Amino acid sequence: SKRVAILISGGGSNMVALVNSMIGDHPARPVVVISNDPNAGGLAKARDLGIATAFVDHREYPNDRNAFEEILHATLEGHNPDIVCLAGFMRILTEGFTARYEGRMLNIHPSLLPKYKGLHTHARALEAGDPEHGCSVHEVTAALDDGPVLGQARIAVEQNDTPETLASRLLPLEHELYPAVLRRFANGDRTPVRLPIMRSIP
Ligand code: GAR
């Protein structure tokens, strides 16, 4: 089966969803979880799930993205991944790094791409008055949040939504979408996944 490395920066809830999905006849298995933050909550969760963990602290390489990425690459290669999943990984990767994983690196982004690449996606959707918001899983290319979209899930924006309520309604959908895309991708199927819109119950 395909070997999956997962890169995180924080709580790792998407990482947990991915790991828990890779069971039974799944075409892939998790081999390592790597964080750029040694204190990321997701590292302990990965350990509890029995997955190898590592960290590469970006703060040890101030003003030297290439040095950080060299160590990150070496750490990844120690686990020989076929697929790399970015799951709440909050470091921008250079073109040199993304080229090494071309066609085998995925990312989840909390917006309906191509809208709202970068940060503060929930606030930007609210400011724009969008009737819908959502999340996207895409292939990682050199440009930030820009590769082919392999799946999206959407929610209706309600009257009193805040960035926080949008984030908390969206997160459970991320946990459905990312495993669905990974399963297809690991089977060599790049047909986009579309989850039905979630309407909140009034
Ligand atoms: C998720 O909402 C993910 O979409 C977002 O960070 C959160 C991580 O949560 N990713 C980005 O903003 C990427 N730029 P998690 O650590 O619980 O999976």
Side-chain angles (χ1 to χ4, degrees), residues 10-15 87-90 107-110 118 145 171 174-175:
S13 70
N14 278 289
M15 175 277 295
F89 184 68
M90 302 304 283
N107 179 43
I108 187 156
H109 184 73
D145 299 329
L171 200 57
E174 296 188 34
H175 300 162

Side-chain angles (χ1 to χ4, degrees), residues 34-111:
I34 304 174
S35 174
N36 64 292
D37 178 354
N39 298 313
L43 285 175
K45 292 179 194 165
R47 252 178 259 122
D48 288 346
L49 289 162
I51 317 295
T53 62
F55 62 83
V56 182
D57 188 344
H58 66 278
R59 290 164 303 188
E60 287 178 22
Y61 311 91
N63 312 316
D64 195 348
R65 242 174 234 285
N66 290 323
F68 165 69
E69 289 183 350
E70 278 308 315
I71 307 299
L72 182 60
H73 182 246
T75 307
L76 270 168
E77 289 316 296
H79 297 270
N80 198 23
D82 299 301
I83 298 171
V84 177
C85 290
L86 309 184
F89 184 68
M90 302 304 283
R91 303 304 298 170
I92 289 175
L93 296 167
T94 69
E95 190 169 354
F97 188 92
T98 58
R100 287 169 150 166
Y101 295 98
E102 197 185 332
R104 52 198 189 102
M105 184 153 59
L106 303 178
N107 179 43
I108 187 156
H109 184 73
S111 78

Side-chain angles (χ1 to χ4, degrees), residues 6 13-24 26 30 49 51 179:
I6 305 172
S13 70
N14 278 289
M15 175 277 295
V16 170
L18 289 172
V19 167
N20 285 335
S21 75
M22 288 184 259
I23 52 167
H26 201 283
L49 289 162
I51 317 295

